[in-house]
Amino acid sequence: MTRAKKPLIIYFGMTVFVLLFGIVYTHFGYGVTSPYMSYAFLPLALVTCFHFVLAAFPAVKLPTRYSHMILAFFSTAITLYLLIKGILEIAGAYSRYDVMLLYTAIFFGCAFIGCYVSQYYTKKQ
Amino acid sequence: MKKQFLSFILPILVFCIGIIGMTSFTLLDAFILDRPIVDETIIRNPTLTRPQRGTEAPPSADSTPTAPVTTKTPVTGDTPVTGDTPVTGDTPVTGDDPVTGEVPVTTVIPETTSPPPVIEYPIVSDRYYKDENIEITIEEDVMINKNGVATKLFYVDLKLSDIEYLRTFIATDRGRYSKDTVANMAKENAAIFAINGDYFTFRERGIVYRNYEAIRVTSRKRSDPFGDDALLLMADGDFFMIDEAQVDGSTLPLDTYQCFSFGPRLLEYGDMMVDENDEVGQSANSNPRTAIGIISPLHYKIVVSEGRLVDGDGLTLFELAGVMARLGCRDAYNLDGGSSTTLYFNGEVLNELPKDKEREVSDCIFINGYSYSEEVGER
């Protein structure tokens, strides 16, 4: 297994797990659904696609060695946020602290974009 | 090794601890930690006026509420007939006396009748209750819903002589997780009849008044999952409904007896206010439901539908509104439903519950029975 394929398989597995989790959870929710739960797999699916591009086109590389970690942090935080929000919505419960996960995800999302931007300027110099 | 720890393992550790902490705290806050869900200090500014109704009669206006029945003055045939009996237009005149010109008057003596039976209240049966001030009639029906599934319904006809016979109760200390079953709350209050209310502690916003007391005045927004329709039950027994988003909760009229914050409104002055696609939040279309409607002040209809059962999945809001319209309601309002739906009467829960278990809710609407009044003090 090449270095690029390993995260692809991990992310794909995680996407399928989250998708199945959402389906099973909604099934036992007396028909109460939540778009957060239904689409919680989407960020992971997008990251999987991104890794697919990395695996298919070796010329495309992540800018720094920390980028994998930052991307993993981002996808973990956003997926957890969506799952928690979905669970709360289906249960009809409410918490004002779920946004902490969203802010964390936004922070790491911005950091990941920052890695690309900094790489661009580094090359230019 | 130290460099690898600092650059990779430490950030991952910090992230994992942080994310686990945030997730745990969110779940704790949502499901376990309690906090008051009512407004601590409320200064009322009752400037809101009731909306003006049209002049035409409501679709199926009923007569005035049942007046108290007088049972202690039976009419008997022992009334003495005297010569002072006034001549009335109803008195049969037998003919003129041509000599004296006097008109002989024949007084009709009422037949001796046995006195009507003195009714001893309360009258209580499995599905009926009546005393001098309250009449509750419960009927069952089966309706085929849009999925072709038979759904059991309970129609409650409620007539009161005063709105204060229809009371509400909030479980324990009004915290977010202060809950109890409707049956327990009913027994605690010695109620003959009870249904679930609006479960207002489920949401952080929503105007709530109970038994004239302002509990919460924070309005919901139109974008809230449950909408922003609130039901006001006034001191004269009338209903009206408001959009919370357009109203400051502290401005409700002083004679606001109850304000329920759930919805949506089903009927307003006979008009259907929901369509086939309307639903409460993200709920499934067919559900157990509880709705309250008004025929005329102090005459109400309550509909409870079963659902989430093997042999019945419930009603849509549209179907529920149709039922309320068929019963002749002028206005109707959807209360909390789903597993919260509970109809309690005379010591038992009448509707079959999902999972055979009664959900604990924050509040209930109830009526004290006559025979139970000693337990809660004389009314």
Side-chain angles (χ1 to χ4, degrees), chain B residues 97-375:
Chain B
D97 188 328
V99 180
T100 61
E102 290 178 358
V103 180
V105 175
T106 304
T107 303
V108 176
I109 300 171
E111 288 179 18
T112 304
T113 55
S114 59
V118 177
I119 303 169
E120 286 190 11
Y121 288 123
I123 302 167
V124 187
S125 72
D126 286 350
R127 299 285 187 270
Y128 183 75
Y129 175 88
K130 184 170 183 176
D131 65 26
E132 290 93 335
N133 300 300
I134 301 164
E135 185 174 4
I136 305 168
T137 312
I138 301 175
E139 292 173 358
E140 290 180 26
D141 191 14
V142 175
M143 178 178 164
I144 308 296
N145 71 2
K146 65 165 191 168
N147 302 325
V149 180
T151 295
K152 193 171 175 183
L153 304 177
F154 293 87
Y155 304 137
V156 183
D157 185 86
L158 199 59
K159 292 176 183 170
L160 308 171
S161 65
D162 191 306
I163 190 60
E164 292 191 23
Y165 290 111
L166 187 70
R167 298 168 63 193
T168 52
F169 180 73
I170 300 172
T172 60
D173 63 355
R174 302 180 182 184
R176 186 161 52 150
Y177 299 108
S178 298
K179 296 186 287 188
D180 205 349
T181 61
V182 170
N184 283 346
M185 286 190 272
K187 283 169 188 164
E188 192 178 329
N189 287 282
I192 181 81
F193 167 84
I195 55 167
N196 59 292
D198 58 0
Y199 202 166
F200 67 92
T201 60
F202 215 62
R203 302 164 294 283
E204 295 227 317
R205 286 190 291 261
I207 304 171
V208 178
Y209 281 56
R210 292 290 187 270
N211 307 322
Y212 294 116
E213 184 190 357
I215 305 292
R216 190 168 67 191
V217 293
T218 314
S219 301
R220 288 182 292 173
K221 298 173 183 171
R222 189 172 286 275
S223 57
D224 275 17
F226 292 80
D228 71 333
D229 288 342
L231 169 69
L232 273 63
L233 188 51
M234 311 307 290
D236 61 1
D238 206 355
F239 265 20
F240 78 91
M241 290 173 275
I242 56 170
D243 293 327
E244 287 187 36
Q246 297 172 7
V247 173
D248 178 351
S250 64
T251 64
L252 297 195
L254 268 181
D255 60 341
T256 303
Y257 180 54
Q258 313 280 353
C259 178
F260 298 104
S261 181
F262 200 87
R265 62 187 83 184
L266 302 170
L267 294 175
E268 192 156 28
Y269 217 62
D271 294 332
M272 296 278 275
M273 301 303 287
V274 289
D275 62 37
E276 292 179 18
N277 300 317
D278 279 326
E279 194 39 69
V280 178
Q282 306 289 332
S283 301
N285 272 138
S286 296
N287 260 315
R289 306 278 184 188
T290 307
I292 185 166
I294 185 169
I295 304 278
S296 59
L298 301 175
H299 185 185
Y300 310 102
K301 292 278 185 184
I302 292 168
V303 171
V304 170
S305 83
E306 291 183 347
R308 295 182 183 176
L309 303 170
V310 177
D311 55 351
D313 54 0
L315 300 182
T316 65
L317 286 176
F318 186 69
E319 288 166 338
L320 185 64
V323 170
M324 300 306 282
R326 205 175 68 229
L327 293 175
C329 293
R330 186 194 73 196
D331 299 333
Y333 184 81
N334 181 51
L335 292 166
D336 188 19
S339 298
S340 303
T341 292
T342 309
L343 171 61
Y344 173 95
F345 183 75
N346 198 18
E348 60 171 330
V349 174
L350 299 185
N351 59 315
E352 191 177 345
L353 302 161
K355 288 186 179 176
D356 232 5
K357 187 184 171 193
E358 203 184 332
R359 177 191 272 176
E360 293 185 332
V361 291
S362 64
D363 60 308
C364 73
I365 302 169
F366 72 95
I367 291 173
N368 283 126
Y370 186 97
S371 57
Y372 302 87
S373 60
E374 285 176 8
E375 296 176 35

Side-chain angles (χ1 to χ4, degrees), chain A residues 16-39:
Chain A
V16 173
F17 173 77
V18 172
L19 182 64
L20 289 176
F21 179 84
I23 292 170
V24 171
Y25 199 91
T26 305
H27 178 73
F28 291 104
Y30 282 122
V32 182
T33 58
S34 164
Y36 292 101
M37 181 66 81
S38 303
Y39 299 112

Side-chain angles (χ1 to χ4, degrees), chain A residues 30-33 35 65-66 69 73 76-77 80 84 88-89 91-98 100-101 104 108, chain B residues 7-8 11-12 15 19 22-23 25-27 29-31 35 176-177 202 204 282-284 287 308 339 354-355:
Chain A
Y30 282 122
V32 182
T33 58
R65 54 202 289 249
Y66 296 108
M69 191 169 65
F73 287 174
T76 306
L80 261 177
I84 296 286
L88 296 187
E89 205 170 85
Y94 173 85
S95 172
R96 62 188 77 178
Y97 302 109
D98 55 358
M100 290 191 301
L101 288 163
T104 308
F108 284 110
Chain B
S7 60
F8 278 103
I12 290 170
F15 176 78
I19 211 93
M22 281 186 272
T23 307
F25 190 69
T26 304
L27 292 175
D29 177 59
F31 293 109
R35 63 171 177 264
R176 186 161 52 150
Y177 299 108
F202 215 62
E204 295 227 317
Q282 306 289 332
S283 301
N287 260 315
R308 295 182 183 176
S339 298
K355 288 186 179 176

